Amino acid sequence: GFLDRGALGNDEWNPWEGDERNELVASQQRYKANLKMIKNAGPHLEQTSLRVQIWGKAAIGLYLWQHIFGGDLQPADVTAQWREGSQKAGKTYFSFITGPSVVPGYFSVETENVVLVLNGREKAKITYATQWLHYTQTLIQTHKIKHVAVVLLGNEQCNNAWIQPYLKTHGGFVNLLFVTYDYALVNEEDVFQWPLGVATYRNFPVVEPSWSMLHDPRLYLCNFLGTVYKNSSRETLMEILKQDGLDKLCWIAAREQWQPQETNESFKNYQDALLQSDLTLCPVGINTECYRIYEACSYGSLPVIEDVMTPGDCGNSSMYHSAPLQLLKTMGAPFIFIKNWKELPAVLEKEKKMSLQEKIQRRKKLIEWYRNFKARMRQKFINTLENSFLPSDKG
């Protein structure tokens, strides 16, 4: 059923993605197997590994845990007050906790190494994030924990200055920062760019590619379901689609206002559009990077991205940062990048001439790339934590 978000008092927890029963059983079995493995590994584990506890206090934590780590959460009910999971990866044993009941001081801190997942999108979220940082700082000062990393859903215009004083390099206590969008302070030493991922707060699922997703002809050349802001490039996009009758070949559903309150029906429509389109149009919003990019990849629908910087402080530091989506580009994303929607008719003309076989190959390549992208992000995350948190043998 659809859940009233207000009842939970926190818009990060509106989930309503009922897991299929068999998936639930499978995940419970995996969970039991994990627990057994941990118990058996007990004494041995202590010597060999790093233990890291991840506190998921923003929906982006679910992307990290369920999509990048492929981890399970118990209970499977996304509306639960408290959910947890665990996984051994590399030399590290990870545990993950999330939910409205994870409140400073009211849960056991089970390790000296903590990853704090926070939302820094806007003022109210920053106030909440700061409370968590102060709690964590107290744990450091009282020697309850040793190391802290933060995964931050950054501000869409990259106004993240509030977090800087907490970084170790600025005299604070946070060893590492993984932050979304092309933040100018990304240096690959203690500040790393992190993918925005899918909208887990709207319960976008972990999608397993099926045979038909890869091989079936799709009904539409392209799709765009979204808000068309006044005087934005999205208006230009709509005009271009209309004038050439291209909107007849694409699944277009434009609305004038953003709707955070998704319904089961609108969400299913959106997933169907991704599944039934060869291309997904990704016009810029407040930032060039959007959930849509990753959601399209999940369904093998190739993102067509408006490759322009949005206003604000993103990437203003150097030549390297003069174009958006550095992380995706560095990782070789096989997307179509365009500078202006006037280029779209030519893209769609080419699309009409492609054979199903060529489209199948492209879908396979896209889905494979996305799988590798998540695996590489996971490996990078683990390596970065281990390099920073494990005692070095340098003497």
Side-chain angles (χ1 to χ4, degrees), residues 198-217:
V198 301
T200 50
Y201 72 92
R202 282 205 300 262
N203 285 312
F204 194 89
V206 176
V207 179
E208 290 301 332
S210 62
W211 193 90
S212 67
M213 186 193 294
L214 290 169
H215 297 88
D216 287 355

Side-chain angles (χ1 to χ4, degrees), residues 280-317:
T280 291
L281 308 181
C282 302
V284 297
I286 302 171
N287 193 286
T288 311
E289 189 177 5
C290 57
Y291 297 120
R292 191 188 312 271
I293 295 170
Y294 300 88
E295 293 166 348
C297 289
S298 302
Y299 282 101
S301 181
L302 194 76
V304 179
I305 294 176
E306 185 180 1
D307 189 19
V308 295
M309 270 311 219
T310 43
D313 297 321
C314 294
N316 290 336
S317 63

Side-chain angles (χ1 to χ4, degrees), residues 116-382:
L116 196 46
V117 186
L118 300 172
N119 184 338
R121 269 275 168 92
E122 61 212 42
K123 280 219 166 66
K125 302 288 186 193
I126 292 169
T127 305
Y128 184 62
T130 309
Q131 291 168 0
W132 274 96
L133 285 162
H134 290 165
Y135 168 64
T136 312
Q137 187 169 24
T138 307
L139 293 176
I140 291 252
Q141 288 162 347
T142 53
H143 306 292
K144 301 258 189 341
I145 61 175
K146 278 187 184 165
H147 305 114
V148 180
V150 169
V151 176
L152 180 66
L153 176 62
N155 173 279
E156 286 166 289
Q157 297 189 323
C158 297
N159 311 326
N160 302 316
W162 67 274
I163 191 93
Q164 277 167 248
Y166 295 98
L167 304 182
K168 219 163 196 170
T169 45
H170 288 67
F173 61 93
V174 173
N175 302 69
L176 304 166
L177 174 65
F178 299 87
V179 60
T180 57
Y181 306 116
D182 297 273
Y183 187 37
L185 291 193
V186 167
N187 56 20
E188 294 295 313
E189 285 161 23
D190 67 319
V191 183
F192 302 85
Q193 189 169 353
W194 192 250
L196 179 63
V198 301
T200 50
Y201 72 92
R202 282 205 300 262
N203 285 312
F204 194 89
V206 176
V207 179
E208 290 301 332
S210 62
W211 193 90
S212 67
M213 186 193 294
L214 290 169
H215 297 88
D216 287 355
R218 298 191 174 192
L219 295 171
Y220 302 95
L221 281 188
C222 71
N223 76 77
F224 173 68
L225 283 69
T227 314
V228 177
Y229 305 103
K230 283 267 170 274
N231 307 320
S232 71
S233 66
R234 296 180 176 200
E235 282 192 331
T236 315
L237 169 59
M238 288 301 135
E239 282 159 26
I240 286 165
L241 284 168
K242 281 196 189 98
Q243 70 194 23
D244 292 334
L246 294 168
D247 54 344
K248 306 278 185 294
L249 306 171
C250 295
W251 183 331
I252 305 298
R255 55 188 180 212
E256 286 178 17
Q257 264 184 318
W258 184 69
Q259 291 169 315
Q261 294 287 34
E262 191 89 54
T263 62
N264 282 343
E265 189 187 2
S266 68
F267 187 59
K268 186 175 184 314
N269 262 344
Y270 174 59
Q271 285 175 292
D272 285 347
L274 296 177
L275 189 55
Q276 291 296 344
S277 313
D278 290 309
L279 305 174
T280 291
L281 308 181
C282 302
V284 297
I286 302 171
N287 193 286
T288 311
E289 189 177 5
C290 57
Y291 297 120
R292 191 188 312 271
I293 295 170
Y294 300 88
E295 293 166 348
C297 289
S298 302
Y299 282 101
S301 181
L302 194 76
V304 179
I305 294 176
E306 185 180 1
D307 189 19
V308 295
M309 270 311 219
T310 43
D313 297 321
C314 294
N316 290 336
S317 63
S318 65
M319 283 305 291
Y320 166 72
H321 267 312
S322 61
L325 307 177
Q326 285 304 325
L327 177 65
L328 290 169
K329 288 173 181 170
T330 308
M331 293 280 199
F335 305 159
I336 296 173
F337 292 99
I338 60 178
K339 290 292 179 197
N340 190 307
W341 288 115
K342 288 175 184 156
E343 297 169 46
L344 184 62
V347 170
L348 294 182
E349 273 311 309
K350 196 174 160 192
E351 200 61 24
K352 284 183 205 168
K353 297 189 178 90
M354 273 180 85
S355 69
L356 177 59
Q357 208 44 49
E358 288 171 309
K359 288 180 177 180
I360 289 170
Q361 287 315 315
R362 184 177 66 187
R363 277 178 221 164
K364 286 180 174 170
K365 184 181 163 190
L366 176 63
I367 283 173
E368 188 56 27
W369 173 83
Y370 185 47
R371 185 185 289 144
N372 285 334
F373 171 78
K374 289 186 287 188
R376 285 164 72 186
M377 291 314 300
R378 176 177 180 264
Q379 205 46 54
K380 181 179 179 173
F381 187 76
I382 294 164

